[in-house]
Amino acid sequence: MNITLDEAAKERLSAHLGADKILLLTFEDGVGPYSQHAMIHMQTQFSINVISNEMEKADYDEKIPSEIGDFWIKGYSKEDLQAEMRIKFNPRLSTLSLSGEGGMIDDNLGFIDFTKN
């Protein structure tokens, strides 16, 4: 598995990263401290989260490489992902999307930096 990012997505996400930060690609299923809600509809939903090295990440047991660092995932969420994925920024809507070789995975990828108060 691999994730590539367009330049605008790299720029937006890199502004939140540093040596003490970890990227998560969270499957929004209500499991773990960073999942915002359990799925109550048929749409697959993911979010990008930034946490610090000291924050809990026990539910995130696998990682996917990218140009800006590894994205940690809950291993079982791989069944909703694809081998080659791309994160793009849509400037018109100011949103991120996650797609793969098989098509769109999530056209409104959430983003939360849990290191910010």
Side-chain angles (χ1 to χ4, degrees):
M1 292 188 123
N2 186 54
I3 297 174
T4 57
L5 296 91
D6 70 9
E7 288 303 316
K10 280 186 212 174
E11 188 176 305
R12 286 199 169 270
L13 296 177
S14 294
H16 295 270
L17 300 178
D20 63 335
K21 305 283 179 76
I22 297 171
L23 280 167
L24 307 176
L25 181 60
T26 297
F27 181 52
E28 294 291 0
D29 62 351
V31 175
Y34 311 112
S35 184
Q36 297 301 296
H37 55 78
M39 286 177 40
I40 56 173
H41 46 74
M42 298 301 287
Q43 179 181 353
T44 301
Q45 196 168 4
F46 283 88
S47 65
I48 296 172
N49 305 134
V50 177
I51 62 171
S52 70
N53 288 330
E54 297 82 36
M55 295 171 77
E56 175 64 39
K57 78 170 187 64
D59 295 313
Y60 298 83
D61 55 354
E62 295 192 34
K63 57 188 174 180
I64 302 171
S66 83
E67 308 102 315
I68 62 171
D70 293 332
F71 281 86
W72 285 85
I73 63 168
K74 302 172 204 173
Y76 61 84
S77 69
K78 287 185 349 184
E79 65 187 51
D80 290 301
L81 297 172
Q82 298 171 21
E84 296 297 321
M85 293 173 287
R86 184 161 180 84
I87 295 174
K88 292 183 180 180
F89 178 70
N90 180 336
R92 188 175 62 80
L93 299 174
S94 195
T95 57
L96 294 166
S97 66
L98 176 66
S99 61
E101 68 274 10
M104 188 60 65
I105 299 169
D106 189 339
D107 63 354
N108 191 8
L109 193 59
F111 176 78
I112 301 173
D113 184 343
F114 285 100
T115 66
K116 303 285 183 195
N117 293 333

